[in-house]
């Protein structure tokens, strides 16, 4: 919110301030009379869309500090609400602030309860705001806002009294280690020193401060007042420290001012903390205002996205159109060059479809033709896994199933060998329409020790099994290394110098359908 309406309510009147672009401007003040309320309502007629923040600087404000069991969530909120209702039944403006936990025992929550005990001071002004549909965002108290005015060193003091002079009187706020304990607004004509001494005596009587212990006092005063030191004879046990209002305003990034009320109002407008006291249904116009602003913001974002999307589409259309024109020019150039080259060539002998079919057939033959590379790769892998096998002879051929190769000598005995006399072969032999089956006849020998017949048979069987693992491969043992039939008579002599010799050779027939 860049523009806000600040309402400063005291016991005598209501003053209006306008926060805009980081600066605070003065407005009219209205008395606590029926005429003042009517004038205030008339003044609000032109400010319906401006959110408002109210600062209640009243004497009728009470503070209590309690230790409550540590309960989180809704149950903790309900427990604190019951404690607030027990303490102040006649006012809806009450709140509870959890300030931490105890260090020992059950580690209970330290809760500060506060309330505005005289709601009659606020209700007429709140009703006037509601009647004019002013979006009231929050209700603050200077006591809770003044904690941000403490410098870093003052937050470590066990007993600190902050003294400020406001339009409604002298406000004294007591802190323990930077945590608010209570605050009182004195409207008497006494000096700040006298009021601070009375507060010190109250703390001694309430057993919150030892009798002979000095009380640290931090006074926020304008520069004109700092030159006049406080009277030590009035309050000898008060340790006075003075901080200029200009220094406090600079720490809060606000414009320098000699009025502490403007400092508090500027803090509330710049940070906009959550409301100290609940407003209930009186905050509904602020909820409606926030929802309306959210809708406006989302509509603006959607409009910006639509504009960006439209611009991107326009740019894409322009680029696509330029690319299309470039492609059309390139296509026209290729077409012209093709027509020029074709015009100088003789008429084609065959049709384009036939040429395409010839190319497809050539590709099919190259891909599915009966080439021995694949079966040779399978055989090489098997030999690599069987180092005791040595290949001695290999015969490879491709056959079409059911078609025996016909030669000129078999068709016409005694005729001369000529391509014109050879019978037509099956197209499957060249891989049309599928790859033909291949047949391999190989002869190998087993390299084993002398007279190790068992190793010969095991090595041959392993080699045959390695080949049979190939999909589509059928392995047939045509000739064993030696005849092991029971009805055949063994011959030869074991342990001869020549060893197994020819007995270690075997022959395999491989049929592979790729």
């Amino acid at each position: 919110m860049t523009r806000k309406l600040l309402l400063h309510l005291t016991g005598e009147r209501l003053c209006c301030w306008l926060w805009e672009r980081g600066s605070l401007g003065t407005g009219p003040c209205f008395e606590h009379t029926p005429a003042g309320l009517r004038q205030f309502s008339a003044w609000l007629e032109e400010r319906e869309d401006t959110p408002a923040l109210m600062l209640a600087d009243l004497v009728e404000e009470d503070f209590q500090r309690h230790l409550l069991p540590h309960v989180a969530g809704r149950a903790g909120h309900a427990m604190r609400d019951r404690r607030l209702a027990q303490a102040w039944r006649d006012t809806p403006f009450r709140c509870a602030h959890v300030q931490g936990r105890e260090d020992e025992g059950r580690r209970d929550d330290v809760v500060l309860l506060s309330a505005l005990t005289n709601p009659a001071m606020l209700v007429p002004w709140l009703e006037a705001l509601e009647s004019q549909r002013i979006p009231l965002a929050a209700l603050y108290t200077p006591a809770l806002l003044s904690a941000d005015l403490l410098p870093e060193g003052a937050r470590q003091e066990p007993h600190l009294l902050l003294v400020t002079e406001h339009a409604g009187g002298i406000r004294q706020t007591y802190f323990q280690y930077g945590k608010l304990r209570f605050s009182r607004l004195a409207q008497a004509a006494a000096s700040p020193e006298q009021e601070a001494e009375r507060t010190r005596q109250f703390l001694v009587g309430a057993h919150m401060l030892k009798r002979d212990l000095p009380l640290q006092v931090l006074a926020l005063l304008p520069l004109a007042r700092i030159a006049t030191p406080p009277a030590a004879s009035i309050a000898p046990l008060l340790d006075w420290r003075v901080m200029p209002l200009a220094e406090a305003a600079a720490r809060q990034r606000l414009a320098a001012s000699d009025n502490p009320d403007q400092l508090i109002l500027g803090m509330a407008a710049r940070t906009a903390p959550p409301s100290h006291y609940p407003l209930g249904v009186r905050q509904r116009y602020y909820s409606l205002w926030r929802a309306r602003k959210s809708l406006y913001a989302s509509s603006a974002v959607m409009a910006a996205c639509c504009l960006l999307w439209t611009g991107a589409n326009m740019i894409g259309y322009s680029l696509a159109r330029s690319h299309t024109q470039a492609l059309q020019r390139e296509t026209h150039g290729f077409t012209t060059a093709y027509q020029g080259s074709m015009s100088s060539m003789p008429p084609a002998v065959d049709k384009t479809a036939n040429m395409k079919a010839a190319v497809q057939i050539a590709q099919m033959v190259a891909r599915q033709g009966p080439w021995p590379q694949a079966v040779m790769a399978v055989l090489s892998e098997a030999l690599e896994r069987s180092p005791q096998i040595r290949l001695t002879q290999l015969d490879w051929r491709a056959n079409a199933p059911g078609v025996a190769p016909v030669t000129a000598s078999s068709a016409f005995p005694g005729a001369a060998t000529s391509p014109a006399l050879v019978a037509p072969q099956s197209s499957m032999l060249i891989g049309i329409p599928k790859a033909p089956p291949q047949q391999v006849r190989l002869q190998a020998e087993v390299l084993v020790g002398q007279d190790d017949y068992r190793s010969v048979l095991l090595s041959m069987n392993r080699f045959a099994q390695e080949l049979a693992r190939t999909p589509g491969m059928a392995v047939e043992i045509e000739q064993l290394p030696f005849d092991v039939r029971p009805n055949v008579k063994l011959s030869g002599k074991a342990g001869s110098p020549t060893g197994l010799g020819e007995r270690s050779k075997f022959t395999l027939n491989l049929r592979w359908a790729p």
Side-chain angles (χ1 to χ4, degrees):
M1 298 183 293
T2 58
R3 181 183 176 91
K4 303 172 188 177
L5 179 62
L6 300 176
L7 306 175
H8 184 209
L9 179 64
T10 62
E12 293 79 17
R13 56 185 180 174
L14 174 72
C15 293
C16 301
W17 303 76
L18 189 62
W19 174 270
E20 189 172 9
R21 297 177 182 178
S23 61
L24 192 64
T26 59
C29 294
F30 306 96
E31 300 295 332
H32 282 284
T33 59
L37 286 172
R38 289 192 297 270
Q39 295 173 4
F40 178 63
S41 299
W43 183 78
L44 291 175
E45 290 180 355
E46 299 178 358
R47 292 161 179 82
E48 182 178 346
D49 199 39
T50 304
L53 304 175
M54 178 174 284
L55 181 67
D57 192 6
L58 302 174
V59 177
E60 296 88 351
E61 188 173 14
D62 192 12
F63 295 88
Q64 295 181 14
R65 197 180 191 189
H66 296 278
L67 293 178
L68 299 180
H70 178 68
V71 181
R74 293 185 177 180
H77 287 288
M79 179 184 63
R80 291 188 286 271
D81 290 340
R82 287 194 299 270
R83 196 58 178 267
L84 286 171
Q86 293 172 4
W88 302 287
R89 296 180 179 275
D90 299 330
T91 175
F93 307 111
R94 55 200 181 197
C95 64
H97 300 276
V98 179
Q99 296 182 330
R101 300 182 64 180
E102 284 288 295
D103 297 331
E104 300 177 354
R106 299 186 310 176
R107 293 181 53 80
D108 292 338
D109 290 335
V110 180
V111 182
L112 178 68
L113 308 179
S114 64
L116 298 175
T117 57
N118 186 11
M121 297 289 295
L122 289 90
V123 170
W125 304 102
L126 295 178
E127 291 178 350
L129 291 171
E130 193 172 6
S131 64
Q132 297 298 327
R133 301 177 181 271
I134 300 297
L136 181 60
L139 175 61
Y140 300 129
T141 173
L144 296 174
L145 288 174
S146 60
D148 296 333
L149 296 175
L150 298 180
E152 192 63 29
R155 298 176 188 272
Q156 308 302 324
E157 294 289 343
H159 305 281
L160 178 68
L161 186 66
L162 179 66
V163 178
T164 52
E165 294 188 30
H166 299 270
I170 301 173
R171 177 168 289 277
Q172 301 173 82
T173 308
Y174 175 62
F175 294 92
Q176 288 183 342
Y177 295 103
K179 303 295 184 181
L180 176 67
R181 186 65 183 269
F182 73 87
S183 180
R184 58 184 292 264
L185 181 64
Q187 293 182 327
S191 64
E193 293 82 0
Q194 294 174 342
E195 292 296 333
E197 176 62 21
R198 292 175 184 172
T199 302
R200 190 193 69 81
Q201 294 175 3
F202 167 77
L203 294 175
V204 171
H207 303 288
M208 290 187 290
L209 182 68
K210 293 183 179 180
R211 183 174 300 276
D212 298 331
L213 185 66
L215 177 62
Q216 302 289 333
V217 180
L218 178 63
L220 293 181
L221 299 175
L223 291 176
R225 291 282 307 278
I226 293 178
T228 304
S233 59
I234 299 177
L237 293 179
L238 296 179
D239 185 7
W240 281 84
R241 287 180 294 171
V242 180
M243 183 173 63
L245 285 172
E247 180 182 344
R251 187 182 295 111
Q252 298 296 326
R253 293 180 294 175
L254 298 172
S257 174
D258 290 340
N259 188 350
D261 292 329
Q262 295 185 18
L263 178 59
I264 298 294
L265 290 170
M267 289 172 51
R270 188 181 64 83
T271 59
S275 180
H276 293 161
Y277 294 109
L279 293 171
V281 296
R282 301 184 188 276
Q283 212 173 9
R284 63 178 181 273
Y285 289 117
Y286 174 69
S287 300
L288 293 174
W289 176 87
R290 188 168 54 181
R292 184 169 63 252
K293 292 299 180 181
S294 299
L295 291 175
Y296 289 162
S298 59
S299 301
V301 171
M302 292 182 61
C305 293
C306 292
L307 290 176
L308 291 176
W309 182 73
T310 303
N313 283 345
M314 294 297 293
I315 294 174
Y317 171 76
S318 178
L319 293 176
R321 185 174 182 180
S322 61
H323 292 168
T324 302
Q325 293 175 356
L327 291 175
Q328 289 176 351
R329 290 192 297 268
E330 187 176 356
T331 303
H332 179 71
F334 287 153
T335 303
T336 303
Y338 173 76
Q339 291 176 354
S341 61
M342 292 297 294
S343 61
S344 60
M345 295 176 62
V349 178
D350 208 344
K351 296 182 180 180
T352 306
N354 296 338
M355 296 177 65
K356 181 178 180 180
V359 171
Q360 292 177 349
I361 291 173
Q363 293 176 350
M364 185 182 300
V365 171
R367 184 175 61 254
Q368 301 180 170
W371 314 118
Q373 289 87 345
V375 70
M376 291 300 109
V378 173
L379 183 58
S380 299
E381 293 178 359
L383 287 171
E384 186 176 358
R385 290 191 291 268
S386 303
Q388 69 277 12
I389 303 298
R390 183 173 64 184
L391 189 65
T392 59
Q393 188 175 354
L394 180 66
D395 181 21
W396 172 88
R397 62 181 177 177
N399 291 326
V403 179
V406 180
T407 61
S409 59
S410 62
F412 302 97
T417 302
S418 173
L421 300 178
V422 177
Q425 300 293 320
S426 173
S427 63
M428 209 171 171
L429 291 175
I430 60 174
I432 300 175
K434 63 179 183 178
Q438 302 179 24
Q439 181 178 355
V440 178
R441 184 177 184 274
L442 62 90
Q443 185 177 7
E445 62 180 355
V446 184
L447 304 177
V448 296
Q450 184 177 359
D451 298 337
D452 195 352
Y453 297 96
R454 182 183 298 275
S455 298
V456 170
L457 288 176
L458 290 176
S459 300
M460 182 198 68
N461 289 331
R462 292 194 189 99
F463 180 63
Q465 291 172 0
E466 288 288 342
L467 292 172
R469 289 192 182 97
T470 305
M473 180 73 73
V475 180
E476 178 186 356
I477 301 176
E478 180 179 335
Q479 180 181 354
L480 292 170
F482 42 83
D483 201 341
V484 294
R485 290 176 296 176
N487 58 349
V488 176
K489 181 180 179 180
L490 295 176
S491 62
K493 183 179 181 181
S496 61
T498 57
L500 293 173
E502 295 296 329
R503 296 177 183 272
S504 63
K505 294 184 179 180
F506 62 92
T507 304
L508 299 180
N509 283 329
L510 310 180
R511 291 181 178 85
W512 184 44

